[in-house]
Amino acid sequence: MLKTRKQTTSSLDTQLTLRKKKHKTKMAQNGSNSSVKLLGTWSSPFALRGRVALHLKSVEYEYIEEADVLNSKSDLLLKSNPIHKKVPVLIHGDVSICESLNIVQYVDESWPSKPSILPSDPKDRAAARFWAHFVDGKCFESIDAAAGAKDQAGRMAAVGNLMECLAALEEGFQKSNKGGDFFGGQNIGYVDIACGAILGPLSVIEAFSGVKFLSPDITPGLVQWAERFRAHEAVKSYMPTVAEFVEFAKQKFNV
């Protein structure tokens, strides 16, 4: 028997309730003894970056879910990020660190034990920062344009730009993976964490537009990389499924 929409939504709500509870991630703390908190929301691809970085560094931290960050911001969020008033925010002792890529770099530098998230070689480090900013700039601009297009012509133009961005990422992956599974080699690193943020939004646009952005014919490296990224132990516990992303978008935009 097929599930009704009401049953599907109820099931999703139950799953998301579990995600939204305030909880502590139990890991062996490595580095400073100051308390660590991460403010996020389960559907945010940017908050995912902070969680992955903290997991990789085995940092014990308290994750605090901002349940309805678009409509109701907690006092803690407003206090810790008064400029942008958005998640994620990393609170380390009495210091607040905002913006997801900034958080990832801070975690890597504050807990310098292995594995290193950013490359040690200056040239590789510069390249990693370039691709991370390319994702947050060109890629997300194209994603936002495709999602917010008012007509078919605008949508197709945005889709074309997004395809060009992904082709550039494919080329970057092929040149930088050194025969390994991830950008930069065998271990998940800075560019992987940056690029992983686009997978959720891409899956939503694919579901609504019918366009397949990552395909074995055009982006074979990224297709395999995406599968490995989602399955990585530092990612899979925190990244929503495609079905959860799509159902969230339906509820958010009343589709």
Side-chain angles (χ1 to χ4, degrees):
M1 179 181 293
L2 294 175
K3 291 184 178 180
T4 65
R5 173 69 180 275
K6 183 177 181 181
Q7 288 173 320
T8 302
T9 302
S10 176
S11 175
L12 179 65
D13 288 343
T14 299
Q15 296 175 45
L16 299 189
T17 297
L18 296 175
R19 290 180 184 272
K20 291 178 179 179
K21 287 183 178 179
K22 180 194 287 189
H23 65 280
K24 287 188 176 181
T25 300
K26 296 295 184 181
M27 298 179 181
Q29 182 146 355
N30 178 18
S32 171
N33 290 324
S34 300
S35 64
V36 180
K37 299 177 182 178
L38 181 69
L39 279 61
T41 188
W42 73 272
S43 60
S44 168
F46 303 106
L48 174 69
R49 289 172 172 172
R51 303 199 75 175
V52 173
L54 290 164
H55 187 114
L56 286 172
K57 290 294 187 174
S58 297
V59 179
E60 180 182 342
Y61 68 99
E62 180 180 5
Y63 174 71
I64 301 175
E65 176 75 18
E66 290 283 328
D68 189 16
V69 72
L70 294 178
N71 299 309
S72 178
K73 305 177 191 297
S74 71
D75 291 340
L76 181 59
L77 175 58
L78 296 174
K79 177 182 177 181
S80 56
N81 190 0
I83 303 299
H84 297 297
K85 303 178 179 65
K86 63 181 183 179
V87 296
V89 180
L90 182 73
I91 303 174
H92 187 194
D94 58 358
V95 176
S96 297
I97 299 92
C98 308
E99 299 299 302
S100 60
L101 291 178
N102 193 32
I103 288 171
V104 173
Q105 293 185 64
Y106 179 87
V107 169
D108 193 36
E109 293 168 359
S110 296
W111 288 271
S113 62
K114 299 293 182 180
S116 178
I117 295 175
L118 279 122
S120 57
D121 183 88
K123 295 187 295 294
D124 291 341
R125 202 177 185 91
R129 288 188 172 123
F130 170 85
W131 286 113
H133 287 292
F134 175 78
V135 168
D136 274 10
K138 293 287 188 179
C139 290
F140 269 106
E141 286 173 8
S142 298
I143 288 173
D144 291 343
K150 302 300 183 182
D151 53 48
Q152 184 66 12
R155 186 174 300 106
M156 293 310 298
V159 165
N161 289 336
L162 181 52
M163 295 294 283
E164 289 181 4
C165 288
L166 294 175
L169 270 184
E170 171 72 19
E171 183 177 356
F173 174 77
Q174 297 292 355
K175 289 181 178 179
S176 67
N177 67 7
K178 302 175 183 178
D181 293 337
F182 299 99
F183 286 88
Q186 286 293 352
N187 299 317
I188 191 170
Y190 187 64
V191 182
D192 303 288
I193 295 173
C195 290
I198 69 174
L199 295 179
L202 277 181
S203 66
V204 172
I205 298 176
E206 286 180 344
F208 287 108
S209 69
V211 177
K212 194 68 176 175
F213 291 104
L214 298 182
S215 67
D217 294 333
I218 302 175
T219 56
L222 289 181
V223 168
Q224 295 181 2
W225 165 83
E227 293 177 355
R228 290 188 290 262
F229 181 81
R230 286 190 176 101
H232 195 282
E233 64 174 11
V235 177
K236 61 184 179 181
S237 296
Y238 314 117
M239 189 171 193
T241 65
V242 171
E244 287 173 335
F245 272 126
V246 172
E247 188 61 32
F248 171 77
K250 288 179 179 179
Q251 293 181 19
K252 178 179 178 182
F253 299 109
N254 196 28
V255 177

